Amino acid sequence: TPLPDYGGRVDVPLGNVSIHVVIPPANELPHTMAGRDFLLLFECLDVSSVIVLWALLLAEQKVLLQARQTHVLTMAAESLCALLFPFSWQHVYIPILPASLLDILQAPVPFLIGIDEEVLGMAEQGGLVPDDVVQVDLDASSIVCDPDVARAIRLPQKQYHKLYKALAPFCRASGRQSQDTEGGAEGGDGGSVRGSSGGGGGG
């Protein structure tokens, strides 16, 4: 069965069921499973951290989302994928990583993975989280990554300010932004991520 054109739909027979295949219009905003919970990501991170995390994904880094609640992991991962529009994440994507797949953290490829507290403890105990993985703690509103990766993220000042202004009303307030700018990656407004291989940091 040939795929439909942009904006079209086709039913593909598969045994005794029919699978609906829909190709959205090329200029339509992306669908996200997050729905009403799309803003959960912005409630967890301040605006500088959201922008830097977005830039890290565009740069195809290894990103590990951490949270106690699996619901938060799923919604945050879906929201981040939607924010990449008109691009799409083409690499490893696991919103909730099971313990049986912990070895994937050492894969030499970009990934966006969510991990809960219990499985994260197992990964850290086994030394399975490499230094080049960007660790995003959604509960603590912090981003920790390798210093070289942090320094490489530089956003154009004009575009950074515009994006910052648009996102600020939806994000949590930053209580530590002025403390965490040293040694981090910056946009035009001092938004940063702490470059560190072992300590905490936030935007």
Side-chain angles (χ1 to χ4, degrees):
T1 302
L3 289 176
D5 294 328
Y6 286 107
R9 167 178 171 166
V10 66
D11 293 331
V12 180
L14 186 61
N16 60 350
V17 299
S18 182
I19 306 298
H20 305 299
V21 177
V22 179
I23 305 296
N27 60 347
E28 184 176 285
L29 291 177
H31 167 75
T32 171
M33 291 174 57
R36 293 190 313 169
D37 294 323
F38 188 89
L39 293 179
L40 264 179
L41 173 69
F42 303 99
E43 294 171 359
C44 292
L45 300 174
D46 61 60
V47 60
S48 298
S49 296
V50 170
I51 295 175
V52 169
L53 181 53
W54 171 76
L56 287 165
L57 288 173
L58 286 176
E60 299 182 311
Q61 298 297 322
K62 302 176 183 179
V63 175
L64 183 65
L65 305 176
Q66 306 165 200
R68 289 186 294 269
Q69 299 181 0
T70 54
H71 170 72
V72 173
L73 291 173
T74 302
M75 296 302 102
E78 282 291 309
S79 298
L80 285 168
C81 286
L83 289 175
L84 295 177
F85 181 82
F87 305 107
S88 60
W89 185 252
Q90 298 292 320
H91 306 289
V92 175
Y93 176 66
I94 309 175
I96 303 175
L97 183 70
S100 59
L101 293 180
L102 274 176
D103 288 344
I104 195 69
L105 296 177
Q106 297 185 312
V109 296
F111 58 67
L112 174 57
I113 292 176
I115 190 168
D116 65 25
E117 204 169 35
E118 180 181 356
V119 180
L120 174 63
M122 296 170 59
E124 292 178 336
Q125 186 176 8
L128 297 177
V129 184
D131 290 341
D132 62 345
V133 172
V134 178
Q135 294 184 257
V136 183
D137 191 331
L138 296 171
D139 296 323
S141 185
S142 67
I143 301 178
V144 179
C145 72
D146 181 90
D148 292 335
V149 174
R151 285 191 292 268
I153 301 300
R154 288 290 186 272
L155 301 175
Q157 185 174 13
K158 182 178 179 180
Q159 285 74 15
Y160 178 92
H161 276 293
K162 185 176 181 180
L163 190 56
Y164 189 103
K165 185 177 180 180
L167 293 178
F170 305 102
C171 294
R172 66 175 293 169
S174 172
R176 300 188 301 170
Q177 181 172 322
S178 60
Q179 301 175 27
D180 290 345
T181 53
E182 59 178 353
E186 298 184 359
D189 200 9
S192 68
V193 53
R194 174 66 65 86
S196 171
S197 58

